[in-house]
Amino acid sequence: MAVTLAEEIMLLSLDDASGAVRERQACQWAVAGGLVLDLVLAGRLSVDGGRVVVVDTVPTGVGLLDGRLAMIGAWAAGRGRPQKVTAWLTKDHRKALDATVASLAERGLVGEEERKVMGMFPVRRFPEVDGTAERELRTRLEEAVLRRAEPEDRTAGLVALLHGAGLHRLAFPGLPSREVVPRMREISEGQWAGESVRKAIREMQSAMTAVALVTMRS
């Protein structure tokens, strides 16, 4: 089963050794956005004019995505009209991160440990168990951003989410922003995907920019 966009963002965020979540605040917005974008790419949601609509309720077969599909459907139905995608991201971003980490643990890609900070406060950590998916992911990102290869749709969407959330340091640790951000912006605004995919990426890019501004002000 393919790793979802949300899981890919989570793999980039989790410290391989300690299992701690890096840049948690921005990451949880990107993870929630990744779940929405994956459902758009799967033909289950559409995002038009900044509003999210369920267009197909048939399950994708991916538990993490189907859980969000059902939740978005129930949430939108309770309001009687299409809702802003930023409102959904605001509602779901913290829960989405926890659900995505749990999915990675179920897949056997990360472990789950409970540790105590200062000998008193319990915290959960998710150290890497199987690094295959993350290595493949980082290779794809390097090809598209550093070597300027033409990205396929999912990679373009992933780059747009990372760029919108300001997470270039997770994707390219040790590289200055000037070496990666211009190309990430170019991919986010590029013309290589089909029109429906470009539209979805633009909408999610706009939503991520909006919530990133809210995060920085809070």
Side-chain angles (χ1 to χ4, degrees):
M1 186 184 298
V3 178
T4 66
L5 290 170
E7 289 169 323
E8 289 184 327
I9 294 166
M10 204 70 248
L11 286 173
L12 295 174
S13 176
L14 290 171
D15 183 89
D16 293 345
S18 71
V21 179
R22 296 170 294 183
E23 302 199 39
R24 174 183 285 270
Q25 191 172 32
C27 179
Q28 57 195 8
W29 291 105
V31 165
L35 292 170
V36 172
L37 184 54
D38 247 334
L39 286 167
V40 171
L41 295 176
R44 302 312 193 267
L45 299 179
S46 70
V47 180
D48 189 9
R51 296 183 181 274
V52 62
V53 177
V54 177
V55 296
D56 189 346
T57 60
V58 175
T60 66
V62 179
L64 179 62
L65 298 181
D66 291 338
R68 258 50 205 173
L69 179 60
M71 291 168 65
I72 292 171
W75 171 74
R79 284 153 180 80
R81 60 188 178 88
Q83 297 294 304
K84 290 184 177 180
V85 68
T86 50
W88 172 254
L89 298 179
T90 300
K91 175 181 175 62
D92 191 50
H93 64 287
R94 293 184 179 88
K95 295 177 181 178
L97 187 145
D98 291 338
T100 301
V101 172
S103 180
L104 287 173
E106 290 173 5
R107 289 176 180 266
L109 298 178
V110 302
E112 184 172 357
E113 301 174 354
E114 186 170 292
R115 304 176 184 176
K116 290 188 176 181
V117 176
M118 301 175 64
M120 298 175 59
F121 307 105
V123 295
R124 288 191 303 160
R125 294 288 186 263
F126 303 90
E128 185 175 78
V129 173
D130 182 348
T132 304
E134 184 178 352
R135 286 193 296 272
E136 187 275 337
L137 163 62
R138 289 190 180 277
T139 297
R140 278 171 39 224
L141 289 174
E142 289 171 4
E143 287 292 324
V145 176
L146 301 183
R147 298 180 181 86
R148 305 184 68 83
E150 183 172 312
E152 43 78 36
D153 292 350
R154 286 180 54 79
T155 300
L158 175 62
V159 170
L161 291 168
L162 293 169
H163 177 61
L167 292 173
H168 63 274
R169 289 181 298 273
L170 295 183
F172 302 99
L175 291 180
S177 60
R178 66 179 181 275
E179 293 187 15
V180 295
V181 169
R183 174 59 175 167
M184 293 177 76
R185 182 184 304 114
E186 181 184 2
I187 290 173
S188 301
E189 299 171 353
Q191 300 298 311
W192 31 71
E195 175 55 32
S196 62
V197 175
R198 287 204 308 271
K199 180 179 178 182
I201 290 174
R202 285 196 303 268
E203 292 279 4
M204 291 310 300
Q205 171 79 10
S206 177
M208 293 309 306
T209 300
V211 296
L213 289 172
V214 171
T215 299
M216 288 187 290
R217 291 171 181 166
S218 60

mmCIF file of all heavy atoms in Angstrom, residues 8-50:
data_model
loop_
_atom_site.group_PDB
_atom_site.id
_atom_site.type_symbol
_atom_site.label_atom_id
_atom_site.label_comp_id
_atom_site.label_asym_id
_atom_site.label_seq_id
_atom_site.Cartn_x
_atom_site.Cartn_y
_atom_site.Cartn_z
ATOM 1 N N GLU A 8 4.012 10.859 4.398
ATOM 2 C CA GLU A 8 5.317 11.295 3.913
ATOM 3 C C GLU A 8 5.779 12.541 4.658
ATOM 4 O O GLU A 8 6.953 12.655 5.048
ATOM 5 C CB GLU A 8 5.247 11.554 2.405
ATOM 6 C CG GLU A 8 5.118 10.279 1.600
ATOM 7 C CD GLU A 8 5.135 10.513 0.104
ATOM 8 O OE1 GLU A 8 4.653 11.563 -0.358
ATOM 9 O OE2 GLU A 8 5.644 9.627 -0.621
ATOM 10 N N ILE A 9 4.881 13.488 4.866
ATOM 11 C CA ILE A 9 5.236 14.686 5.629
ATOM 12 C C ILE A 9 5.631 14.307 7.049
ATOM 13 O O ILE A 9 6.592 14.833 7.615
ATOM 14 C CB ILE A 9 4.058 15.677 5.630
ATOM 15 C CG1 ILE A 9 3.815 16.194 4.210
ATOM 16 C CG2 ILE A 9 4.323 16.846 6.584
ATOM 17 C CD1 ILE A 9 2.489 16.909 4.033
ATOM 18 N N MET A 10 4.912 13.355 7.627
ATOM 19 C CA MET A 10 5.210 12.915 8.987
ATOM 20 C C MET A 10 6.576 12.245 9.058
ATOM 21 O O MET A 10 7.332 12.453 10.019
ATOM 22 C CB MET A 10 4.124 11.940 9.444
ATOM 23 C CG MET A 10 3.939 11.819 10.935
ATOM 24 S SD MET A 10 3.218 13.314 11.649
ATOM 25 C CE MET A 10 4.617 13.888 12.615
ATOM 26 N N LEU A 11 6.924 11.443 8.059
ATOM 27 C CA LEU A 11 8.235 10.799 8.036
ATOM 28 C C LEU A 11 9.355 11.831 7.994
ATOM 29 O O LEU A 11 10.406 11.649 8.620
ATOM 30 C CB LEU A 11 8.345 9.862 6.832
ATOM 31 C CG LEU A 11 7.569 8.548 6.910
ATOM 32 C CD1 LEU A 11 7.630 7.815 5.575
ATOM 33 C CD2 LEU A 11 8.099 7.651 8.024
ATOM 34 N N LEU A 12 9.137 12.911 7.265
ATOM 35 C CA LEU A 12 10.147 13.965 7.214
ATOM 36 C C LEU A 12 10.272 14.671 8.554
ATOM 37 O O LEU A 12 11.356 15.129 8.941
ATOM 38 C CB LEU A 12 9.782 14.988 6.131
ATOM 39 C CG LEU A 12 9.788 14.492 4.683
ATOM 40 C CD1 LEU A 12 9.258 15.579 3.757
ATOM 41 C CD2 LEU A 12 11.184 14.057 4.247
ATOM 42 N N SER A 13 9.159 14.760 9.279
ATOM 43 C CA SER A 13 9.148 15.500 10.540
ATOM 44 C C SER A 13 9.737 14.703 11.696
ATOM 45 O O SER A 13 10.397 15.271 12.575
ATOM 46 C CB SER A 13 7.716 15.920 10.887
ATOM 47 O OG SER A 13 7.670 16.556 12.141
ATOM 48 N N LEU A 14 9.515 13.404 11.722
ATOM 49 C CA LEU A 14 9.961 12.593 12.860
ATOM 50 C C LEU A 14 11.472 12.431 12.858
ATOM 51 O O LEU A 14 12.064 12.017 11.864
ATOM 52 C CB LEU A 14 9.291 11.219 12.825
ATOM 53 C CG LEU A 14 7.786 11.195 13.132
ATOM 54 C CD1 LEU A 14 7.220 9.812 12.849
ATOM 55 C CD2 LEU A 14 7.532 11.584 14.587
ATOM 56 N N ASP A 15 12.102 12.751 13.968
ATOM 57 C CA ASP A 15 13.537 12.500 14.118
ATOM 58 C C ASP A 15 13.763 10.994 14.127
ATOM 59 O O ASP A 15 13.149 10.262 14.904
ATOM 60 C CB ASP A 15 14.044 13.121 15.418
ATOM 61 C CG ASP A 15 15.536 12.957 15.596
ATOM 62 O OD1 ASP A 15 16.290 13.830 15.134
ATOM 63 O OD2 ASP A 15 15.950 11.936 16.190
ATOM 64 N N ASP A 16 14.642 10.517 13.251
ATOM 65 C CA ASP A 16 14.812 9.074 13.075
ATOM 66 C C ASP A 16 15.245 8.378 14.355
ATOM 67 O O ASP A 16 14.827 7.250 14.633
ATOM 68 C CB ASP A 16 15.840 8.790 11.975
ATOM 69 C CG ASP A 16 15.355 9.213 10.595
ATOM 70 O OD1 ASP A 16 14.135 9.452 10.452
ATOM 71 O OD2 ASP A 16 16.187 9.318 9.685
ATOM 72 N N ALA A 17 16.102 9.010 15.144
ATOM 73 C CA ALA A 17 16.643 8.374 16.340
ATOM 74 C C ALA A 17 15.734 8.549 17.553
ATOM 75 O O ALA A 17 15.360 7.587 18.224
ATOM 76 C CB ALA A 17 18.033 8.929 16.645
ATOM 77 N N SER A 18 15.353 9.795 17.832
ATOM 78 C CA SER A 18 14.583 10.063 19.044
ATOM 79 C C SER A 18 13.094 9.843 18.860
ATOM 80 O O SER A 18 12.364 9.587 19.826
ATOM 81 C CB SER A 18 14.814 11.498 19.520
ATOM 82 O OG SER A 18 14.196 12.421 18.639
ATOM 83 N N GLY A 19 12.617 9.956 17.627
ATOM 84 C CA GLY A 19 11.186 9.823 17.371
ATOM 85 C C GLY A 19 10.383 11.052 17.715
ATOM 86 O O GLY A 19 9.146 11.021 17.682
ATOM 87 N N ALA A 20 11.048 12.161 18.016
ATOM 88 C CA ALA A 20 10.346 13.402 18.335
ATOM 89 C C ALA A 20 9.849 14.072 17.055
ATOM 90 O O ALA A 20 10.458 13.941 15.994
ATOM 91 C CB ALA A 20 11.272 14.348 19.089
ATOM 92 N N VAL A 21 8.736 14.789 17.167
ATOM 93 C CA VAL A 21 8.187 15.527 16.033
ATOM 94 C C VAL A 21 8.875 16.889 15.959
ATOM 95 O O VAL A 21 8.816 17.680 16.889
ATOM 96 C CB VAL A 21 6.670 15.727 16.180
ATOM 97 C CG1 VAL A 21 6.122 16.513 14.994
ATOM 98 C CG2 VAL A 21 5.957 14.383 16.293
ATOM 99 N N ARG A 22 9.512 17.142 14.833
ATOM 100 C CA ARG A 22 10.159 18.440 14.619
ATOM 101 C C ARG A 22 9.187 19.382 13.924
ATOM 102 O O ARG A 22 8.420 18.965 13.079
ATOM 103 C CB ARG A 22 11.427 18.269 13.784
ATOM 104 C CG ARG A 22 12.505 17.430 14.479
ATOM 105 C CD ARG A 22 13.624 17.080 13.536
ATOM 106 N NE ARG A 22 13.176 16.188 12.468
ATOM 107 C CZ ARG A 22 13.972 15.682 11.533
ATOM 108 N NH1 ARG A 22 15.255 15.988 11.520
ATOM 109 N NH2 ARG A 22 13.496 14.872 10.607
ATOM 110 N N GLU A 23 9.259 20.658 14.288
ATOM 111 C CA GLU A 23 8.400 21.694 13.716
ATOM 112 C C GLU A 23 6.930 21.265 13.764
ATOM 113 O O GLU A 23 6.192 21.345 12.772
ATOM 114 C CB GLU A 23 8.838 22.049 12.297
ATOM 115 C CG GLU A 23 10.283 22.537 12.229
ATOM 116 C CD GLU A 23 10.592 23.300 10.961
ATOM 117 O OE1 GLU A 23 9.728 24.081 10.496
ATOM 118 O OE2 GLU A 23 11.712 23.123 10.437
ATOM 119 N N ARG A 24 6.509 20.841 14.942
ATOM 120 C CA ARG A 24 5.182 20.267 15.113
ATOM 121 C C ARG A 24 4.065 21.198 14.639
ATOM 122 O O ARG A 24 3.131 20.761 13.962
ATOM 123 C CB ARG A 24 4.947 19.904 16.580
ATOM 124 C CG ARG A 24 3.517 19.423 16.884
ATOM 125 C CD ARG A 24 3.320 19.139 18.351
ATOM 126 N NE ARG A 24 3.958 17.903 18.747
ATOM 127 C CZ ARG A 24 3.355 16.707 18.715
ATOM 128 N NH1 ARG A 24 2.101 16.617 18.291
ATOM 129 N NH2 ARG A 24 3.985 15.631 19.100
ATOM 130 N N GLN A 25 4.132 22.456 15.017
ATOM 131 C CA GLN A 25 3.022 23.353 14.712
ATOM 132 C C GLN A 25 2.766 23.450 13.212
ATOM 133 O O GLN A 25 1.630 23.308 12.752
ATOM 134 C CB GLN A 25 3.284 24.738 15.304
ATOM 135 C CG GLN A 25 2.070 25.649 15.259
ATOM 136 C CD GLN A 25 2.286 26.935 16.019
ATOM 137 O OE1 GLN A 25 3.396 27.448 16.078
ATOM 138 N NE2 GLN A 25 1.225 27.479 16.598
ATOM 139 N N ALA A 26 3.820 23.700 12.444
ATOM 140 C CA ALA A 26 3.654 23.791 10.996
ATOM 141 C C ALA A 26 3.352 22.421 10.390
ATOM 142 O O ALA A 26 2.566 22.306 9.441
ATOM 143 C CB ALA A 26 4.908 24.383 10.354
ATOM 144 N N CYS A 27 3.959 21.385 10.947
ATOM 145 C CA CYS A 27 3.788 20.040 10.404
ATOM 146 C C CYS A 27 2.339 19.571 10.494
ATOM 147 O O CYS A 27 1.811 18.960 9.554
ATOM 148 C CB CYS A 27 4.705 19.068 11.138
ATOM 149 S SG CYS A 27 4.576 17.365 10.571
ATOM 150 N N GLN A 28 1.678 19.878 11.593
ATOM 151 C CA GLN A 28 0.313 19.365 11.723
ATOM 152 C C GLN A 28 -0.644 19.998 10.703
ATOM 153 O O GLN A 28 -1.559 19.333 10.208
ATOM 154 C CB GLN A 28 -0.197 19.548 13.153
ATOM 155 C CG GLN A 28 -0.193 20.945 13.687
ATOM 156 C CD GLN A 28 -0.373 20.993 15.200
ATOM 157 O OE1 GLN A 28 -0.349 19.965 15.883
ATOM 158 N NE2 GLN A 28 -0.568 22.179 15.747
ATOM 159 N N TRP A 29 -0.403 21.252 10.330
ATOM 160 C CA TRP A 29 -1.198 21.856 9.264
ATOM 161 C C TRP A 29 -0.925 21.163 7.926
ATOM 162 O O TRP A 29 -1.853 20.880 7.155
ATOM 163 C CB TRP A 29 -0.863 23.337 9.135
ATOM 164 C CG TRP A 29 -1.303 24.187 10.274
ATOM 165 C CD1 TRP A 29 -0.502 24.711 11.262
ATOM 166 C CD2 TRP A 29 -2.625 24.628 10.588
ATOM 167 N NE1 TRP A 29 -1.257 25.445 12.138
ATOM 168 C CE2 TRP A 29 -2.556 25.420 11.750
ATOM 169 C CE3 TRP A 29 -3.863 24.432 9.962
ATOM 170 C CZ2 TRP A 29 -3.681 26.014 12.316
ATOM 171 C CZ3 TRP A 29 -4.989 25.031 10.529
ATOM 172 C CH2 TRP A 29 -4.884 25.811 11.697
ATOM 173 N N ALA A 30 0.350 20.898 7.647
ATOM 174 C CA ALA A 30 0.711 20.256 6.382
ATOM 175 C C ALA A 30 0.164 18.840 6.301
ATOM 176 O O ALA A 30 -0.279 18.387 5.234
ATOM 177 C CB ALA A 30 2.223 20.254 6.213
ATOM 178 N N VAL A 31 0.191 18.124 7.411
ATOM 179 C CA VAL A 31 -0.346 16.760 7.448
ATOM 180 C C VAL A 31 -1.847 16.775 7.166
ATOM 181 O O VAL A 31 -2.355 15.978 6.365
ATOM 182 C CB VAL A 31 -0.038 16.105 8.821
ATOM 183 C CG1 VAL A 31 -0.888 14.865 9.032
ATOM 184 C CG2 VAL A 31 1.439 15.751 8.905
ATOM 185 N N ALA A 32 -2.575 17.677 7.813
ATOM 186 C CA ALA A 32 -4.013 17.784 7.555
ATOM 187 C C ALA A 32 -4.277 18.144 6.095
ATOM 188 O O ALA A 32 -5.192 17.613 5.461
ATOM 189 C CB ALA A 32 -4.635 18.825 8.486
ATOM 190 N N GLY A 33 -3.454 19.041 5.540
ATOM 191 C CA GLY A 33 -3.579 19.386 4.136
ATOM 192 C C GLY A 33 -3.270 18.221 3.221
ATOM 193 O O GLY A 33 -3.902 18.049 2.168
ATOM 194 N N GLY A 34 -2.301 17.396 3.608
ATOM 195 C CA GLY A 34 -1.953 16.223 2.820
ATOM 196 C C GLY A 34 -3.093 15.232 2.723
ATOM 197 O O GLY A 34 -3.323 14.622 1.663
ATOM 198 N N LEU A 35 -3.835 15.056 3.815
ATOM 199 C CA LEU A 35 -4.982 14.150 3.785
ATOM 200 C C LEU A 35 -6.049 14.659 2.816
ATOM 201 O O LEU A 35 -6.624 13.887 2.043
ATOM 202 C CB LEU A 35 -5.568 14.012 5.193
ATOM 203 C CG LEU A 35 -4.678 13.287 6.212
ATOM 204 C CD1 LEU A 35 -5.255 13.416 7.616
ATOM 205 C CD2 LEU A 35 -4.524 11.813 5.839
ATOM 206 N N VAL A 36 -6.319 15.963 2.851
ATOM 207 C CA VAL A 36 -7.306 16.535 1.930
ATOM 208 C C VAL A 36 -6.843 16.389 0.484
ATOM 209 O O VAL A 36 -7.612 15.963 -0.388
ATOM 210 C CB VAL A 36 -7.564 18.017 2.266
ATOM 211 C CG1 VAL A 36 -8.445 18.664 1.195
ATOM 212 C CG2 VAL A 36 -8.225 18.145 3.638
ATOM 213 N N LEU A 37 -5.579 16.715 0.218
ATOM 214 C CA LEU A 37 -5.084 16.656 -1.152
ATOM 215 C C LEU A 37 -5.080 15.227 -1.680
ATOM 216 O O LEU A 37 -5.416 14.987 -2.852
ATOM 217 C CB LEU A 37 -3.685 17.256 -1.246
ATOM 218 C CG LEU A 37 -3.090 17.352 -2.658
ATOM 219 C CD1 LEU A 37 -4.024 18.085 -3.612
ATOM 220 C CD2 LEU A 37 -1.732 18.045 -2.617
ATOM 221 N N ASP A 38 -4.729 14.258 -0.856
ATOM 222 C CA ASP A 38 -4.781 12.862 -1.296
ATOM 223 C C ASP A 38 -6.207 12.465 -1.670
ATOM 224 O O ASP A 38 -6.428 11.734 -2.650
ATOM 225 C CB ASP A 38 -4.255 11.930 -0.198
ATOM 226 C CG ASP A 38 -2.952 11.256 -0.588
ATOM 227 O OD1 ASP A 38 -2.699 11.099 -1.796
ATOM 228 O OD2 ASP A 38 -2.180 10.885 0.313
ATOM 229 N N LEU A 39 -7.191 12.925 -0.903
ATOM 230 C CA LEU A 39 -8.590 12.608 -1.215
ATOM 231 C C LEU A 39 -9.043 13.325 -2.488
ATOM 232 O O LEU A 39 -9.866 12.801 -3.241
ATOM 233 C CB LEU A 39 -9.483 12.981 -0.032
ATOM 234 C CG LEU A 39 -9.375 12.028 1.164
ATOM 235 C CD1 LEU A 39 -10.027 12.634 2.407
ATOM 236 C CD2 LEU A 39 -9.996 10.672 0.847
ATOM 237 N N VAL A 40 -8.500 14.503 -2.757
ATOM 238 C CA VAL A 40 -8.785 15.182 -4.025
ATOM 239 C C VAL A 40 -8.191 14.387 -5.185
ATOM 240 O O VAL A 40 -8.859 14.144 -6.193
ATOM 241 C CB VAL A 40 -8.224 16.618 -4.010
ATOM 242 C CG1 VAL A 40 -8.325 17.245 -5.405
ATOM 243 C CG2 VAL A 40 -8.973 17.479 -3.001
ATOM 244 N N LEU A 41 -6.937 13.978 -5.036
ATOM 245 C CA LEU A 41 -6.281 13.214 -6.101
ATOM 246 C C LEU A 41 -6.962 11.870 -6.340
ATOM 247 O O LEU A 41 -6.935 11.342 -7.448
ATOM 248 C CB LEU A 41 -4.806 13.008 -5.751
ATOM 249 C CG LEU A 41 -3.944 14.272 -5.677
ATOM 250 C CD1 LEU A 41 -2.529 13.934 -5.228
ATOM 251 C CD2 LEU A 41 -3.917 14.999 -7.010
ATOM 252 N N ALA A 42 -7.592 11.324 -5.279
ATOM 253 C CA ALA A 42 -8.314 10.052 -5.405
ATOM 254 C C ALA A 42 -9.737 10.248 -5.932
ATOM 255 O O ALA A 42 -10.477 9.269 -6.074
ATOM 256 C CB ALA A 42 -8.359 9.347 -4.049
ATOM 257 N N GLY A 43 -10.133 11.486 -6.201
ATOM 258 C CA GLY A 43 -11.463 11.750 -6.744
ATOM 259 C C GLY A 43 -12.579 11.696 -5.722
ATOM 260 O O GLY A 43 -13.765 11.615 -6.092
ATOM 261 N N ARG A 44 -12.244 11.788 -4.440
ATOM 262 C CA ARG A 44 -13.268 11.734 -3.393
ATOM 263 C C ARG A 44 -13.701 13.119 -2.917
ATOM 264 O O ARG A 44 -14.825 13.289 -2.458
ATOM 265 C CB ARG A 44 -12.771 10.929 -2.182
ATOM 266 C CG ARG A 44 -12.349 9.490 -2.450
ATOM 267 C CD ARG A 44 -13.380 8.739 -3.283
ATOM 268 N NE ARG A 44 -13.157 7.314 -3.286
ATOM 269 C CZ ARG A 44 -12.442 6.664 -4.196
ATOM 270 N NH1 ARG A 44 -11.848 7.332 -5.190
ATOM 271 N NH2 ARG A 44 -12.308 5.356 -4.152
ATOM 272 N N LEU A 45 -12.821 14.083 -3.012
ATOM 273 C CA LEU A 45 -13.127 15.466 -2.643
ATOM 274 C C LEU A 45 -12.800 16.379 -3.813
ATOM 275 O O LEU A 45 -11.991 16.046 -4.676
ATOM 276 C CB LEU A 45 -12.299 15.919 -1.433
ATOM 277 C CG LEU A 45 -12.436 15.192 -0.096
ATOM 278 C CD1 LEU A 45 -11.486 15.819 0.926
ATOM 279 C CD2 LEU A 45 -13.863 15.219 0.413
ATOM 280 N N SER A 46 -13.415 17.552 -3.805
ATOM 281 C CA SER A 46 -12.973 18.641 -4.665
ATOM 282 C C SER A 46 -12.812 19.875 -3.782
ATOM 283 O O SER A 46 -13.472 20.003 -2.752
ATOM 284 C CB SER A 46 -13.971 18.916 -5.790
ATOM 285 O OG SER A 46 -15.166 19.484 -5.280
ATOM 286 N N VAL A 47 -11.902 20.742 -4.190
ATOM 287 C CA VAL A 47 -11.722 22.015 -3.503
ATOM 288 C C VAL A 47 -11.823 23.098 -4.573
ATOM 289 O O VAL A 47 -11.016 23.149 -5.487
ATOM 290 C CB VAL A 47 -10.373 22.090 -2.776
ATOM 291 C CG1 VAL A 47 -10.234 23.440 -2.072
ATOM 292 C CG2 VAL A 47 -10.228 20.956 -1.770
ATOM 293 N N ASP A 48 -12.837 23.922 -4.450
ATOM 294 C CA ASP A 48 -13.089 24.949 -5.463
ATOM 295 C C ASP A 48 -13.444 26.250 -4.751
ATOM 296 O O ASP A 48 -14.321 26.267 -3.874
ATOM 297 C CB ASP A 48 -14.240 24.514 -6.366
ATOM 298 C CG ASP A 48 -14.408 25.428 -7.573
ATOM 299 O OD1 ASP A 48 -13.525 26.281 -7.796
ATOM 300 O OD2 ASP A 48 -15.407 25.284 -8.281
ATOM 301 N N GLY A 49 -12.736 27.318 -5.109
ATOM 302 C CA GLY A 49 -12.992 28.584 -4.453
ATOM 303 C C GLY A 49 -12.717 28.546 -2.968
ATOM 304 O O GLY A 49 -13.339 29.284 -2.195
ATOM 305 N N GLY A 50 -11.793 27.676 -2.570
ATOM 306 C CA GLY A 50 -11.435 27.574 -1.162
ATOM 307 C C GLY A 50 -12.390 26.752 -0.325
ATOM 308 O O GLY A 50 -12.231 26.674 0.900
#
